[in-house]
Amino acid sequence: MRSSLLLFPLLAPAAAVAAPDSKEIVEIERAFAALAAQKGISTAFRTYAAEDGVLFTPDPRPAQAFLAEAGESPGSLRWWPAFAGIAQSGDLAFTTGPFVQEQAGRTGHGWFFTIWRRQKDGSWKWMLDHGTPTGEASTITADAPHATLAPGQAGGTRAAGELAAIEARLDRG
């Protein structure tokens, strides 16, 4: 009987732990985008990239080396977080949302996905950044509030609506 009493705490449900607030990482993402508008795309990416950060160009490359070689990117790039989340541990986070790129009189649209890591000094730097063209503008605007995705939570109604709109466009061919 004694051994079964020792197992009881292991079988009891864990107390609910509040998910970290994603507002902090959303503010960092917005500051990153604002720096790109003010100082240039490459400058912003270099400033917010971790030393071991990776960019897909389209193959994975060390971000800092690639950005140093590439120089300043022409045109403009605007983006905003639509979804964000922070790991329960508080040391990893993600942001994702639409982007608009303008270069040489052409406008492109897509979605970015960024994985962030908290640094030893408490700041956040991105360790992976990737964007995928979509061909059409997102229905989520820059002034829409972001959705927080807590650990274990799926994309919610905004993600489902965006996915349904994309699938409908693909079905129309």
Side-chain angles (χ1 to χ4, degrees):
M1 166 146 338
R2 182 177 164 98
S3 63
S4 63
L5 290 176
L6 293 175
L7 290 176
F8 180 72
L10 298 176
L11 300 175
V17 178
D21 189 350
S22 65
K23 288 179 186 173
E24 177 185 15
I25 200 65
V26 167
E27 289 173 10
I28 298 294
E29 184 71 63
R30 289 183 176 148
F32 176 25
L35 185 61
Q38 295 165 359
K39 302 277 184 174
I41 300 165
S42 294
T43 297
F45 273 76
R46 277 193 306 274
T47 300
Y48 282 90
E51 285 301 316
D52 59 347
V54 175
L55 275 174
F56 286 82
T57 63
D59 296 323
R61 296 191 56 187
Q64 291 290 1
F66 174 78
L67 293 165
E69 292 170 15
E72 192 52 57
S73 298
S76 69
L77 178 63
R78 297 183 328 271
W79 71 91
W80 52 95
F83 302 97
I86 296 181
Q88 194 67 47
S89 61
D91 61 346
L92 292 174
F94 79 92
T95 50
T96 185
F99 70 80
V100 178
Q101 185 171 22
E102 296 173 353
Q103 186 176 11
R106 298 182 64 197
T107 300
H109 303 276
W111 274 75
F112 73 89
F113 183 78
T114 306
I115 298 175
W116 297 85
R117 181 177 54 219
R118 189 180 300 276
Q119 304 299 293
K120 290 179 183 175
D121 66 2
S123 67
W124 288 93
K125 298 282 186 173
W126 61 262
M127 52 188 283
L128 180 132
D129 188 82
H130 184 60
T132 302
T134 59
E136 293 186 31
S138 172
T139 59
I140 298 175
T141 61
D143 58 349
H146 78 280
T148 297
L149 301 182
Q153 178 185 8
T157 57
R158 283 181 59 201
E162 185 82 9
L163 180 59
I166 291 169
E167 288 176 341
R169 287 193 301 258
L170 291 173
D171 289 343
R172 289 192 302 266

